[in-house]
Amino acid sequence: MNSNLWRLLKDPGAAIGIALLVAVVVVAALAPVLYPQDPWSMAGRPFLPPFTDPQFPLGTDMMGRDIAAGLAYGARVSLIVGIVSTACAIVLGVTLGGIAGYYGGLADDALMRVTEFFQTIPTFIFALVMVAILSPSILSIILAIGIVSWPPVARLVRAEFASLRGREFVQAAIALGESDRHIILRQILPNTLSPVLVMGSLMVASAILTEAAISFLGLGDPNMMSWGYMIGASRTVIRQAWWMSFFPGLVIVLVVLMINLVGEGLNDVLNPRLARKGRA
Amino acid sequence: MDKLRPIIGRLLKSIAIIATIIVLNFLLIRLAPGDPAAAMAGEAGAADEAFMAQLREQFGLDRPLYQQLAYYFADVVRLDLGYSYRQREAVVELILDRLPATLLLTISGFIVALGLGVLMGVTSAMRVGRLTDRLISLFALLFYATPLFWVGLMAIMLFSVWLGWLPSFGMESVGAGYAGWTRAADIAHHLILPAGTLGLFYVAVYTRLTRASMLEVKDMDFVRTARAKGLRHGLIVRRHILRNAMLPVITFAGIQAGQLVGGAVLTETVFAWPGIGRLAFDALLQRDYPVLLGVFFVTSVMVVVFNIITDMAYRIADPRIEVAS
Amino acid sequence: MMSQRLLSVENLTIALPSAGDRVNAVEGLSFNLNPGEILCIVGESGSGKSMTASAIMGLLPDAGVKVQSGRILFRGEDLLQMSDERFRTIRGSRIGMIFQEPMTALNPVMQVGDQIEEVLEAHGIPKADRPGRVLSLLNAVGLPEPAALARRYPFRLSGGQRQRVVIAMALALEPEILIADEPTTALDVTTQAQILELIRGIQRSQGMGVIFITHDFGVVADIADRVAVMQHGRIVEIGPAREVLDQPADAYTQSLIRAVPQFREKPLPPSPEAEPVVRVRGLNKTYVTQGGFFTPVREFKALDDISFDIRRGETVGLVGESGSGKSTAGRCLVRLIDPNGGSIEYKNTDLAKLSRSQLRPFRSKIQIVFQDPYASLNPRHTVGQSIMAGPLAHGIDAKTARERMNRLLIRVGLDEAAADRFPHEFSGGQRQRIGIARALAVEPDLLVADEAVSALDVSVQAQVLELLRDIREEFQLAMLFITHDLRIASQLCHRVLVLHKGRVVESGETTSVFRNPRDSYTRSLIDAVPGREWHHSPGGDSTTRSFA
């Protein structure tokens, strides 16, 4: 695993990605220290353009709130939602997908129907409806994103389990009389983890995008500053104050891009045979 | 009969999915905190106790749950999606009114995404490792990471506010009274930004997918056979590589349809496009649940129909499918 | 002399991508091909024989493999210096090629007739003439109902039929040279024999020069005029087929030919025991494909009433072509597949009737060794973990399990240090030895070997067979040996069962079944074994062959 990490760091895209993500995590963690004042409170003159006042390098919004502070606090929401919802989806997806793939039969049929259903419906609208009905909060957003994200994981894990189950080393383990638990946990699961890990990293990125979109539509947690909310709130004043929506968007792009770069780097390292071809 | 079999199977599956959505909708409204009647009234502050009682009776809320479900089911099947007490109009009317605008937007967005995506993916795969490939891959990576609504806003900034080339909101010029081709041209003019915005994220998706698929097929045995036959390079690409590389792209187009419709909600919100996405946004703000659930239902049906179409396309493209299914 | 040469390869060196452990795939290779002759290039995997074929055809893989030096003269003109466009007009018209994998060699979404027609189109045959020529080509390669077949998609065709289509494409413009890269390796023996006959027949009638790449000396004996033996990218010996086969001069060639399995002449001494270890009666397995709403239920009988006994120290062979049910039978025996009917009696217990949990204590008694040395070991477990997992699962303490593992590693010809290494650090033959050690670690009474040596090169194959034989004697193991290769079965097995479409068509003492087959299917299998005449020719007589 250490050699894998080393190889990951040798990929320039992944290395830059990791560095930037570490920086974002640090800023998010230190937000209350860096900006002790509540990000919702008026800090300065409204509509202050960026790069004019050193105290507010990224300017202020129509209520005089510090944009930079908003970004720092917003990072917390994005990271929490991205990571927690993905973790839930992966735990659920691996468990259900694993059972379906290993045992097959009725459990498998049922799971396939459910994942097919989720593959068909407009999941973003479904998530919106859920958040609206459960009333917006960081918990309901995590829940909604988790619910729409687990089916692809389950499909992947199911396919991996089903194929590994037929592989000869697993057949040998069955013939040797190893227990199901042992076969699932020690023989099969470790061999499915790398694609799941890669998928998980990309899912964090898409969860951050989804959270931003939900908050943009005004369904974010009303008590927590988020990037999507900042863009949504400044939508109507875009003609007067471009910076209010520009900077949060830029941060989203950067964070999501970096996560994707790390995910692809991870893919190259963990699944060398499936690695993207032609990369010189 | 043999030819019809998979189609009938497919239709049955679609009906099952739609039925599940109806049940899901029914359960969702009951998940809402507090009185379902209040929820359906859209938390209309004005609703008095007598009105609520009337609603409760109307929806049969005093009856057992399975009966309520049966009534709800029967209503939806009759295309009665409820009443919006906020907008004082039947939900189905509200949605049908806005449907053409949404269809126009999503279909245009889809065509942009698929057309441009496949074109760039093929170009990229054909020049793998070279500058063109790197630029296209970088572009795809970037737009894959960009929130759609932000692209929309930035596009408005650039093309409407600064350059003044394109209109930033609406579907047509208000009060211009255009008709015929002039009107069509006006709508097209308004369509460029929203459709481009909606398409852009999915352009990235299709570019990446097409490129990967092309590169995979390129190394397959039958392509080597084609080279051994002495075919010209262009012909090998068109007939052998592209035709096979398109199969996963078609499958993916079906899977992505639901996401595309979701993207339309965001796009319509940004560009004040008068479609059902915009309707959903207003409903969200007002917690107008009947409209929201109606939108979820109708968009799901749209996606199901689109999936049937891609499925047919796949059947035509891949002769093996009949046996496999 | 020069004018007679159809193709001459001079001092050809092909470099591998820098990352590999070998610098060159092919090094300083030189040989000629004359009109109207079949030149076989024979060698084990990694010898560079396929790379040579690809280089001649200009079809080297893109990734870093390139011709370093040398010339490939076709009728005196260097193919390596030729413009792409000129080379293209030669490919497919004057030099044709057929490949190893018929299942993947055809475009899956294009009708086979169209795929053949493409060759004609690419080389300027007028459109009006093409359909007729396609039909006559399909006819020439012995495909039934050419008109209907031309409109089929490849997935409707069997492996042998697809290979015929590929041959039809290669021969469409009556090329002067045909390059055949292991064209029969993926096929069953009877199909192989038909395809070899087809190639030979067309070669004779058209007077083509053929370069035939193979790993099988039996095939060489059947069709070669001359043979070149390759090892590590070099030709170690080249000459007329008879000479090389019967009096090989090179030591490597000698070792290869010595390793080629032969039909055994004398029966093995029968096992002294009377009581069988396992008694199989009326074994049945029927696969039922699930019907959907509208799709009918389909049944496929994989095993139909199979019965046999195996005694201690005895090996029973199960032979047949793909789809005969031989692997299904093996897997039923270890209960990786549940049979639908019949009994598997072991020490008065019917294993076929036991539930999965009841079966667990019996699992150790019947073990299996698989075909694919790459898939049969968990890539994330050390060799030691893999071998010890079985004993540990059966409640043996870690210390005893470890001692047993160490002993077995040495027994199968590895050393104790292997225990801490991972499977990818071992060769195919070594992995197969590890798989055998893993099976033996739970001290079974019966070992099922499912095509256990089929994926290995012939020299490695001989060594692993030797190991299996030794182990059988040492542990007095009962063994069920499943193989498609009759020669190998004859080497190892006391008795054989010939399977065809799930049924036993013939069984008995090995040498008598193979010498005097009573069933017509058995006879066709034996007739199809490549190189039979060579095996039985006076000059190269079987077991006593030696090279002084």
Side-chain angles (χ1 to χ4, degrees), chain A residues 168-169 175-177 186-187 191, chain C residues 360 367 372 375 378 381 389 394:
Chain A
E168 296 183 336
F169 72 85
L176 282 168
R186 301 252 302 122
Q187 301 276 9
N191 282 295
Chain C
R360 287 247 336 248
Q367 277 304 305
D372 186 345
N378 190 331
H381 287 184
H394 286 279

Side-chain angles (χ1 to χ4, degrees), chain C residues 262-455:
Chain C
Q262 311 284 324
F263 278 109
R264 187 157 40 84
E265 299 291 316
K266 298 188 194 74
L268 288 168
S271 164
E273 304 237 349
E275 197 55 24
V277 172
V278 61
R279 185 181 277 136
V280 176
R281 288 292 172 272
L283 205 60
N284 269 300
K285 178 69 192 175
T286 304
Y287 286 102
V288 182
T289 55
Q290 258 189 347
F293 279 117
F294 292 95
T295 41
V297 177
R298 276 196 210 106
E299 284 196 357
F300 168 67
K301 263 203 155 142
L303 285 182
D304 191 358
D305 197 19
I306 308 289
S307 302
F308 57 88
D309 294 342
I310 312 180
R311 278 173 276 275
R312 275 169 69 84
E314 185 186 46
T315 301
V316 171
L318 217 50
V319 299
E321 297 185 291
S322 53
S324 63
K326 57 188 193 302
S327 269
T328 309
R331 277 160 205 243
C332 280
L333 219 59
V334 288
R335 279 287 303 273
L336 285 171
I337 296 175
D338 294 331
N340 300 116
S343 62
I344 303 167
E345 199 181 300
Y346 169 83
K347 288 192 177 158
N348 300 321
T349 310
D350 182 2
L351 300 182
K353 300 280 184 302
L354 297 185
S355 72
R356 284 193 63 147
S357 54
Q358 289 171 320
L359 190 66
R360 287 247 336 248
F362 292 95
R363 286 282 197 195
S364 63
K365 296 303 161 198
I366 304 183
Q367 277 304 305
I368 183 165
V369 177
F370 294 97
Q371 168 173 7
D372 186 345
Y374 291 91
S376 61
L377 295 171
N378 190 331
R380 286 174 199 276
H381 287 184
T382 62
V383 166
Q385 284 175 313
S386 286
I387 296 177
M388 280 170 32
L392 293 177
H394 286 279
I396 286 165
D397 65 277
K399 187 163 166 286
T400 317
R402 179 166 294 278
E403 282 167 11
R404 201 183 277 180
M405 171 197 73
N406 285 335
R407 194 160 24 108
L408 281 168
L409 277 175
I410 290 167
R411 181 64 200 83
V412 298
L414 297 164
D415 59 68
E416 293 183 12
D420 299 323
R421 286 154 66 194
F422 286 91
H424 68 260
E425 300 171 57
F426 295 90
S427 69
Q430 288 173 323
R431 289 185 209 206
Q432 216 53 331
R433 290 169 187 274
I434 295 166
I436 292 170
R438 175 178 58 191
L440 293 179
V442 291
E443 304 188 327
D445 290 332
L446 172 68
L447 187 66
V448 175
D450 186 0
E451 298 273 14
V453 297
S454 304

Side-chain angles (χ1 to χ4, degrees), chain A residues 3-24:
Chain A
S3 72
N4 279 344
L5 187 67
W6 182 239
R7 269 158 67 206
L8 186 62
L9 288 173
K10 273 165 74 177
D11 176 346
I16 295 171
I18 289 173
L20 209 123
L21 290 176
V22 169
V24 173

Side-chain angles (χ1 to χ4, degrees), chain C residues 98-299:
Chain C
I98 54 185
F99 305 94
Q100 175 169 355
E101 279 297 335
M103 302 316 266
T104 52
L106 294 171
N107 186 341
V109 301
M110 207 169 158
Q111 295 173 359
V112 297
D114 292 346
Q115 299 195 47
I116 298 174
E117 197 177 324
E118 270 192 332
V119 190
L120 306 174
E121 180 192 354
H123 299 285
I125 306 295
K127 200 174 173 88
D129 298 351
R130 291 182 214 151
R133 287 188 65 164
V134 168
L135 293 189
S136 60
L137 277 165
L138 287 171
N139 210 15
V141 294
L143 284 165
E145 298 179 60
L149 199 120
R151 283 194 303 276
R152 297 234 172 90
Y153 289 96
F155 75 98
R156 298 257 185 217
L157 275 52
S158 70
Q161 287 177 320
R162 291 187 210 197
Q163 198 60 296
R164 285 170 193 272
V165 171
V166 176
I167 293 173
M169 294 191 311
L171 299 179
L173 293 155
E174 305 191 351
E176 293 149 73
I177 299 177
L178 177 70
I179 301 172
D181 185 4
E182 303 244 17
T184 58
T185 306
L187 304 172
D188 277 326
V189 272
T190 47
T191 319
Q192 162 166 290
Q194 293 161 5
I195 296 286
L196 287 179
E197 198 180 330
L198 176 70
I199 292 175
R200 176 115 237 193
I202 293 172
Q203 182 265 337
R204 284 210 183 111
S205 68
Q206 296 189 0
M208 290 183 300
V210 174
I211 296 177
F212 195 105
I213 313 282
T214 183
H215 66 279
D216 188 338
F217 273 98
V219 172
V220 175
D222 279 354
I223 67 163
D225 296 315
R226 282 196 305 140
V227 54
V229 183
M230 281 187 75
Q231 182 194 22
H232 304 323
R234 295 169 184 278
I235 289 181
V236 294
E237 181 162 7
I238 183 165
R242 275 286 143 197
E243 270 176 37
V244 175
L245 289 172
D246 294 341
Q247 285 115 30
D250 178 75
Y252 175 71
T253 315
Q254 290 174 3
S255 73
L256 273 186
I257 291 180
R258 210 177 292 125
V260 173
Q262 311 284 324
F263 278 109
R264 187 157 40 84
E265 299 291 316
K266 298 188 194 74
L268 288 168
S271 164
E273 304 237 349
E275 197 55 24
V277 172
V278 61
R279 185 181 277 136
V280 176
R281 288 292 172 272
L283 205 60
N284 269 300
K285 178 69 192 175
T286 304
Y287 286 102
V288 182
T289 55
Q290 258 189 347
F293 279 117
F294 292 95
T295 41
V297 177
R298 276 196 210 106
E299 284 196 357

Side-chain angles (χ1 to χ4, degrees), chain C residues 4-15:
Chain C
Q4 198 214 339
R5 275 178 197 159
L6 193 49
L7 186 87
S8 73
V9 173
E10 294 177 0
N11 210 15
L12 182 70
T13 296
I14 304 171

Side-chain angles (χ1 to χ4, degrees), chain B residues 5 8 12 218 221-222 224-225 227-232 235 239-240 243-244 247 317-320 323, chain C residues 57-59 85 88 91-92 99 104-110 115 118-119 121-123 153 155 169 294:
Chain B
R5 247 181 213 154
I8 294 172
L12 285 178
K218 207 166 98 173
D221 284 354
F222 63 82
R224 189 181 50 175
T225 310
R227 285 170 67 195
K229 289 198 278 193
L231 299 193
R232 287 201 165 74
L235 206 64
R239 260 191 215 160
H240 294 275
R243 249 161 92 169
N244 281 282
L247 296 178
D318 189 350
R320 287 165 296 185
V323 173
Chain C
M57 201 63 182
L59 292 178
E85 179 55 22
R88 184 190 70 74
R91 260 202 302 263
F99 305 94
T104 52
L106 294 171
N107 186 341
V109 301
M110 207 169 158
Q115 299 195 47
E118 270 192 332
V119 190
E121 180 192 354
H123 299 285
Y153 289 96
F155 75 98
M169 294 191 311
F294 292 95

